[in-house]
Amino acid sequence: MLVLLLLQIKHWYVDFVMQTPEMVAGKGIYANPKGVLHSAQHAIATLVILAFFTSLPLAAALALFDFVTHYHIDWAKMNYGCRDIQNPKFWNHLGLDQMAHQIVYLLITSVALL
């Protein structure tokens, strides 16, 4: 549970505190450096957390998994999700995006603690 809690705190901090408007805009353009940087920040933080709980090679592999999945979840939301905060679909898509990230964290935690 501690690993999952730390990943959730990490997610909040990187997604909602550290993320800049340029990163948000860049997430919708495939391979944009700002969008890549945002996902890299997630991967680095995941690596730091997991390094305390599992082997470094496994932590690195799971951090890479976090990078790839985070990048593509965000890219899909930016390209296929509603961007109008007045539209209920925006909130549905934001919730789906956040749920997808949390499912990834459940998978990461399960593998890390095998």
Side-chain angles (χ1 to χ4, degrees):
M1 292 299 292
L2 179 59
V3 173
L4 185 57
L5 175 63
L6 291 172
L7 289 172
Q8 290 172 338
I9 292 169
K10 178 271 306 186
H11 183 84
W12 162 77
Y13 191 79
V14 176
D15 252 24
F16 294 96
V17 177
M18 293 179 62
Q19 190 168 201
T20 66
E22 295 81 18
M23 289 176 178
V24 172
K27 292 189 304 187
I29 304 164
Y30 203 82
N32 178 280
K34 296 292 185 178
V36 170
L37 176 59
H38 172 69
S39 293
Q41 290 172 332
H42 274 284
I44 291 165
T46 295
L47 177 62
V48 169
I49 291 166
L50 294 180
F52 290 99
F53 297 95
T54 191
S55 70
L56 194 53
L58 181 56
L62 292 170
L64 179 61
F65 178 69
D66 189 22
F67 171 80
V68 171
T69 56
H70 196 98
Y71 184 84
H72 288 94
I73 290 166
D74 282 0
W75 181 86
K77 181 186 70 176
M78 293 300 290
N79 283 280
Y80 299 105
C82 177
R83 294 191 193 182
D84 175 8
I85 65 170
Q86 302 300 322
N87 187 328
K89 285 184 181 180
F90 170 86
W91 299 104
N92 292 335
H93 296 161
L94 178 65
L96 179 61
D97 165 82
Q98 294 301 300
M99 181 180 67
H101 292 306
Q102 293 303 315
I103 290 169
V104 168
Y105 298 141
L106 287 169
L107 291 170
I108 287 172
T109 301
S110 295
V111 171
L113 301 178
L114 284 177

